[in-house]
Amino acid sequence: MKTIRPIRILICDDHPIVRQGLRFLIDSEQGFELVGEAQDGAEGVEKALLLKPDITLMDLVMPKKDGIEAIGDIRRQDPSAKIMVLTSFSEVDHILPAIKAGAMGYILKDTLPQELLAAIRDVCADRIYLHPLIARQLSHAMNNEPDPPLPEEVLSEREIDILKLIARGKSNNDIADLLSISRNTVGTHVTHILEKLNFENRTQAALYALRTGLVGLYEKK
């Protein structure tokens, strides 16, 4: 019988009580393993690059280096790193910089434990996770910005199909199965989508799909 490797998690938060709570949650759940803790952003970058966790849970406001700067540093040196923001801040001026820096998920600290674990699984499977309040905040913020180019003006028909699936939280593997194409082909299309739209990550692409009306907020199919 094949043994499933647990999801390896790094916690980066300057509050000992938060780290203790997360440690207890992770240690009490099968399929998860805590591989390290960091108490400031600089240590978080160092440990993320050294330990290569499957996912880093990143606070935003920390000493030495804030979470947004830490996310950017990690992603520049390890573009495959998966990082999810875990914070108490739900304001757009915190959310958008974190997403631009490369966060694949954004969740609030008042989230229920099982919702946090589900979000970790999603991000580790290359799916985007945004707390519902965060998604609503972003939706309102996008309504006040200049209209971006329409998808049909810049993307091919196949790229639009893939962008819709990205915005619905599908991973590359999910998309490959749904469209009956190879994972490598999906990856190539995703790269082209990001290049054409001048985005740095799939989370930004998903928000673009929401803003241009390709998909509704948290539409799932």
Side-chain angles (χ1 to χ4, degrees):
M1 183 176 177
K2 185 177 179 181
T3 302
I4 299 176
R5 187 174 69 85
I7 295 173
R8 302 170 64 254
I9 301 170
L10 171 66
I11 299 168
C12 187
D13 196 294
D14 61 322
H15 293 100
I17 194 167
V18 172
R19 296 199 306 273
Q20 180 180 350
L22 290 171
R23 187 189 315 127
F24 177 81
L25 174 63
I26 293 165
D27 288 344
S28 65
E29 291 286 332
Q30 289 188 341
F32 298 88
E33 177 186 357
L34 181 63
V35 296
E37 299 179 27
Q39 59 186 353
D40 59 64
E43 186 182 13
V45 173
E46 180 182 346
K47 289 194 172 180
L49 297 174
L50 175 66
L51 299 172
K52 300 285 186 182
D54 296 315
I55 185 169
T56 297
L57 301 181
M58 181 74 68
D59 192 15
L60 288 184
V61 179
M62 293 180 291
K64 295 186 180 179
K65 192 186 293 279
D66 66 34
I68 291 169
E69 188 179 358
I71 293 168
D73 287 351
I74 294 168
R75 292 276 297 176
R76 276 189 292 273
Q77 297 179 72
D78 182 7
S80 66
K82 294 182 175 68
I83 304 169
M84 183 164 67
V85 172
L86 178 61
T87 183
S88 56
F89 292 100
S90 60
E91 295 83 2
V92 171
D93 58 352
H94 287 93
I95 304 165
L96 288 176
I99 289 172
K100 186 174 181 181
M104 282 186 64
Y106 198 111
I107 195 165
L108 299 178
K109 287 182 176 178
D110 62 359
T111 299
L112 294 174
Q114 292 305 315
E115 291 178 15
L116 172 59
L117 295 174
I120 290 172
R121 292 188 190 97
D122 277 352
V123 171
C124 285
D126 288 326
R127 300 183 182 98
I128 297 160
Y129 184 88
L130 296 176
H131 186 282
L133 175 60
I134 300 304
R136 288 195 294 272
Q137 293 273 57
L138 288 172
S139 179
H140 293 320
M142 289 186 292
N143 289 335
N144 297 322
E145 294 184 0
D147 291 336
L150 295 175
E152 55 267 27
E153 295 174 354
V154 287
L155 301 177
S156 71
E157 193 171 325
R158 176 60 95 185
E159 288 165 349
I160 290 174
D161 290 340
I162 290 174
L163 177 57
K164 288 179 180 178
L165 293 172
I166 290 173
R168 290 171 183 149
K170 304 300 183 184
S171 68
N172 284 6
N173 283 339
D174 297 332
I175 295 170
D177 291 341
L178 288 165
L179 298 182
S180 299
I181 57 179
S182 73
R183 191 179 189 281
N184 287 341
T185 299
V186 175
T188 299
H189 281 305
V190 172
T191 298
H192 291 163
I193 290 168
L194 297 180
E195 288 175 349
K196 288 182 178 182
L197 297 174
N198 196 28
F199 293 147
E200 297 179 16
N201 56 66
R202 62 197 294 130
T203 314
Q204 289 176 285
L207 293 175
Y208 166 84
L210 286 170
R211 187 175 170 200
T212 55
L214 269 185
V215 295
L217 189 60
Y218 271 81
E219 176 183 345
K220 298 287 185 182
K221 288 187 179 179

